[in-house]
Amino acid sequence: MAEKPQLVSISPEDIETDECLRTYTHIYSPDLLIDQVAFITGGGSGIGFRIAEVLMRHGCDTVIASRNLEKLSEASKKLTGATGKRCLPIVMDVRKPETITAAVDETLKTFGRVDILINNAAGNFLCPATSLSFNAFKTVMEIDTMGTFNASKVVFDKWFKDHGGSIVNISATLGYRGQALQVHAGSAKAANDAMTRHLAVEWGPNGVRVNTVAPGPISGTEGYRRLGGSHAETAGAFRGIPLQRAGNKTEIAHAVLFLASRAASYVTGTILVTDGGAWLTSTNDVEQMLGFWSAEKRKDK
Ligand code: NAP
């Protein structure tokens, strides 16, 4: 049998927790986003935290906005400490447009501008459709889909309409093949993918680019824990992914950095799937997913 080639790892630095990177190797110029301001929903944890860090390492100031002030304040201290850039934590609920309006007003008062909006806030969990309450489905739609529209509209009306800007939505590949136990999040993200194209078309003349990053399984995140990532890894399920591993948060942040920055100046209305090819090949085993779901439910009791 032919020997497996010795592959050089090309994945960038990452750490599992919501801490800043101990080392970071720039791929783009450290000045790529100099003097810009990014508004990141859900920027206090997981993928959103790493996006904030990587944007700040490229010269940007940030606003991180979500519901939990304690988490945001701690994250903001870490981010400023590691990058030397400013990071303003703001309490806001993407389901409540008036809180977004207040947050964007505060952003403009503090920084005088906003150049980038990252719609990253979301809620997700595994649940078979028959066990999903009407309210649970509605809540996920409200956070993921309406939240993305609400934040985009407020930032557009208050700043992007007259100054241009870049929106990057964080989506998922769940709906591409109808992932089991994910009708709520898959439906919400599919709507967001359509929203990306609608808003790209409508707001292009205002100098606004609207794009999406669709991550696959990303280690060191709440999503990975809740959706059975470690379980899948232990069971060897990632060997079926073309790149044969989960992604990391820095890899998602790099995809976002590309789309948010002038490196993607002629890119709008696109969905950049960042999943190592996972959705093309991954198994969609309903029995196995149901088994994992019931085991987790038993643990919760
Ligand atoms: P996470 O750490 O739980 O991030 C979600 C963030 O959203 C949290 O910081 C949370 O902060 C915020 N949030 C939730 N509800 C909110 C609300 N109503 N208003 C404002 N903020 C709210 O999870 P993650 O895994 O990093 O996920 C980040 C994004 O990546 C999500 O869009 C997710 O769908 C997507 N994604 C993740 C994976 C993965 O493997 N992890 C795969 C595909 C897609 P508060 O609790 O403070 O509000």
Side-chain angles (χ1 to χ4, degrees), residues 104-186:
V104 175
D105 283 342
E106 197 178 335
T107 302
L108 294 174
K109 202 167 136 210
T110 307
F111 294 116
R113 62 189 294 150
V114 55
D115 303 276
I116 296 165
L117 167 65
I118 312 293
N119 283 309
N120 164 79
N124 198 11
F125 46 87
L126 289 177
C127 190
T130 46
S131 303
L132 189 68
S133 70
F134 297 116
N135 201 42
F137 186 90
K138 182 167 167 238
T139 300
V140 172
M141 294 300 289
E142 278 174 353
I143 299 173
D144 294 21
T145 301
M146 297 180 68
T148 295
F149 178 73
N150 295 341
S152 302
K153 182 170 159 57
V154 171
V155 172
F156 181 82
D157 287 345
K158 288 199 166 279
W159 190 260
F160 282 5
K161 186 171 55 170
D162 298 321
H163 302 88
S166 174
I167 299 177
V168 181
N169 300 320
I170 308 301
S171 186
T173 61
L174 304 167
Y176 296 4
R177 295 199 312 155
Q179 181 72 48
L181 316 196
Q182 289 279 260
V183 64
H184 41 299

Side-chain angles (χ1 to χ4, degrees), residues 152-153 156 167 198-210:
S152 302
K153 182 170 159 57
F156 181 82
I167 299 177
H198 286 285
L199 296 182
V201 169
E202 232 177 275
W203 293 349
N206 297 76
V208 179
R209 294 184 302 105
V210 188

Side-chain angles (χ1 to χ4, degrees), residues 22-278:
R22 287 183 205 101
T23 59
Y24 179 72
T25 312
H26 282 87
I27 296 169
Y28 290 100
S29 156
D31 287 346
L32 184 64
L33 301 179
I34 201 79
D35 295 334
Q36 296 195 25
V37 176
F39 188 103
I40 304 164
T41 70
S45 65
I47 290 172
F49 178 86
R50 190 68 75 237
I51 293 171
E53 176 181 352
V54 167
L55 299 191
M56 290 167 81
R57 286 183 185 275
H58 288 81
C60 201
D61 289 324
T62 55
V63 175
I64 52 174
S66 69
R67 297 161 305 174
N68 182 333
L69 181 60
E70 203 183 321
K71 179 168 86 177
L72 290 168
S73 303
E74 222 178 284
S76 128
K77 277 189 213 130
K78 290 179 198 167
L79 289 164
T80 293
T83 66
K85 302 304 295 184
R86 289 182 295 170
C87 176
L88 179 67
I90 302 185
V91 172
M92 186 196 90
D93 188 329
V94 291
R95 291 170 295 183
K96 299 180 182 153
E98 67 283 5
T99 67
I100 306 173
T101 300
V104 175
D105 283 342
E106 197 178 335
T107 302
L108 294 174
K109 202 167 136 210
T110 307
F111 294 116
R113 62 189 294 150
V114 55
D115 303 276
I116 296 165
L117 167 65
I118 312 293
N119 283 309
N120 164 79
N124 198 11
F125 46 87
L126 289 177
C127 190
T130 46
S131 303
L132 189 68
S133 70
F134 297 116
N135 201 42
F137 186 90
K138 182 167 167 238
T139 300
V140 172
M141 294 300 289
E142 278 174 353
I143 299 173
D144 294 21
T145 301
M146 297 180 68
T148 295
F149 178 73
N150 295 341
S152 302
K153 182 170 159 57
V154 171
V155 172
F156 181 82
D157 287 345
K158 288 199 166 279
W159 190 260
F160 282 5
K161 186 171 55 170
D162 298 321
H163 302 88
S166 174
I167 299 177
V168 181
N169 300 320
I170 308 301
S171 186
T173 61
L174 304 167
Y176 296 4
R177 295 199 312 155
Q179 181 72 48
L181 316 196
Q182 289 279 260
V183 64
H184 41 299
S187 304
K189 297 294 195 181
N192 288 4
D193 293 352
M195 200 187 308
T196 297
R197 291 184 284 270
H198 286 285
L199 296 182
V201 169
E202 232 177 275
W203 293 349
N206 297 76
V208 179
R209 294 184 302 105
V210 188
N211 291 294
T212 282
V213 169
I218 303 303
S219 61
T221 65
E222 188 57 33
Y224 194 77
R225 286 182 281 275
R226 280 194 191 200
L227 308 182
S230 318
H231 177 79
E233 197 167 9
T234 315
F238 293 161
R239 281 199 297 271
I241 297 177
L243 294 187
Q244 303 196 312
R245 61 176 178 85
N248 73 35
K249 292 172 285 190
T250 309
E251 290 176 307
I252 299 305
H254 281 162
V256 170
L257 174 65
F258 165 68
L259 288 174
S261 75
R262 65 180 188 276
S265 54
Y266 201 49
V267 182
T268 196
T270 200
I271 293 162
L272 179 54
V273 177
T274 310
D275 74 337

